[in-house]
Amino acid sequence: MNSERVESSPTGGRGTRSSPAFLALALLVAALLRVPYFFERDASVDLRQPTVDAGFHDDWARSLAFGSEGASDWRPMHYADPHFDSSPYLRPPGFPYLLAGIYRMSGGSHLAAVAVQMILGCLSVGLLFSMVCRALGPGAGLVAALLLGCHWAPIYFEGELHAPALLIALQLAFAACLLRFRDARSPGWLAGAALALGLAVLTRPNALLYLPAACLWLAWVGKRSARAWGRDALWLCAGVLLTVLPATFRNRVASGPCVPVPTHSGLTLSRAYHP
């Protein structure tokens, strides 16, 4: 007989008493790796004066937060005024709007943006631990969380004015809400999954590919009638659509053509074939 008594874990899966300790360990390791990088970024010139894509995000966010007069140093080298407030979105707006909110609350601090992204990175570690722990136990959850928390790529991009930290957190939140819905059948979890995926689509449009996969997954694990599955899939699709619609309407009003979500792919291909 196994001497370790299995209990109901905080995540609702086959956790044991070690689950909170393993989660705390994974979060501690993730945080300790990020703290030195945070202070390193504080002394980096390229964070205070971002260029290329980071400069575009920075200028867009400052225009949203403070108006066109709050433009960054990036703008004079590229455009006189790109009219972020009235022109259609050139790129997905999810990350610039998050950045604008951070700037608005912090007085325009680049370092505050890095701090929020590192918090999102630690949140992603916690979400991954929760999901893997529910499916495979706390040991597997710890390994998965450490692999994500220690990987150099997420840590690096958390220090840049780019979208991966937000995108990873939203995708994991989407998956976590779907797993909760499978167990609890609560409409709130399905709504949370739809909101998370919709925001992920506004951050990186190809995240929409998760939607048909999620609908098939609901049919596979639901073990319910076709009518019940169809209702769940319909509500999930409707929730994602409602989350994305504000950007679609805004593009329609600003430019005329109906562009559901800008992907930036057209400009990228144009530059590739017409340098």
Side-chain angles (χ1 to χ4, degrees):
M1 180 177 180
N2 191 349
S3 59
E4 184 178 27
R5 184 168 61 91
V6 177
E7 299 178 341
S8 177
S9 74
T11 58
R14 326 182 268 161
T16 66
R17 291 179 179 178
S18 58
S19 295
F22 282 179
L23 175 59
L25 175 61
L27 292 175
L28 177 62
V29 171
L32 288 176
L33 289 173
R34 284 159 173 78
V35 167
Y37 186 45
F38 175 80
F39 289 106
E40 178 183 334
R41 293 300 289 156
D42 186 23
S44 300
V45 176
D46 69 301
L47 179 63
R48 296 191 298 271
Q49 297 178 336
T51 59
V52 197
D53 289 348
F56 182 86
H57 295 153
D58 179 59
D59 192 44
W60 187 353
R62 290 183 184 279
S63 296
L64 291 171
F66 309 117
S68 295
E69 65 276 6
S72 67
D73 295 336
W74 174 90
R75 181 174 299 182
M77 296 184 293
H78 295 77
Y79 303 103
D81 186 351
H83 300 288
F84 288 119
D85 55 344
S86 59
S87 60
Y89 296 137
L90 174 64
R91 298 184 182 187
F95 178 70
Y97 270 83
L98 171 67
L99 199 57
I102 298 170
Y103 284 166
R104 188 71 177 176
M105 291 186 291
S106 66
S109 171
H110 293 104
L111 199 60
V114 173
V116 170
Q117 291 192 107
M118 289 186 174
I119 291 171
L120 286 174
C122 291
L123 174 63
S124 296
V125 170
L127 287 170
L128 183 61
F129 175 86
S130 173
M131 289 188 294
V132 178
C133 184
R134 290 172 67 83
L136 302 173
L142 176 62
V143 172
L146 288 175
L147 287 173
L148 176 61
C150 297
H151 199 289
W152 67 269
I155 297 175
Y156 169 79
F157 279 106
E158 288 162 21
E160 301 288 331
L161 301 182
H162 290 285
L166 174 62
L167 182 65
I168 292 171
L170 288 172
Q171 290 173 334
L172 288 173
F174 165 66
C177 286
L178 273 185
L179 289 174
R180 288 283 188 172
F181 174 72
R182 179 197 63 182
D183 297 336
R185 293 296 172 189
S186 170
W189 290 115
L190 190 62
L195 176 62
L197 183 57
L199 293 175
V201 170
L202 290 174
T203 304
R204 186 69 60 82
N206 56 10
L208 191 60
L209 294 173
Y210 287 120
L211 184 57
C215 292
L216 292 174
W217 180 83
L218 286 172
W220 180 51
V221 303
K223 298 180 179 179
R224 305 170 74 195
S225 66
R227 182 178 179 180
W229 166 77
R231 183 176 63 247
D232 293 343
L234 179 63
W235 280 114
L236 180 63
C237 293
V240 173
L241 177 64
L242 287 174
T243 306
V244 174
L245 272 180
T248 304
F249 287 150
R250 196 259 182 202
N251 284 342
R252 179 70 173 83
V253 170
S255 65
C258 183
V259 181
V261 184
T263 63
H264 190 54
S265 58
L267 182 58
T268 300
L269 289 173
S270 175
R271 286 176 176 173
Y273 287 100
H274 302 283

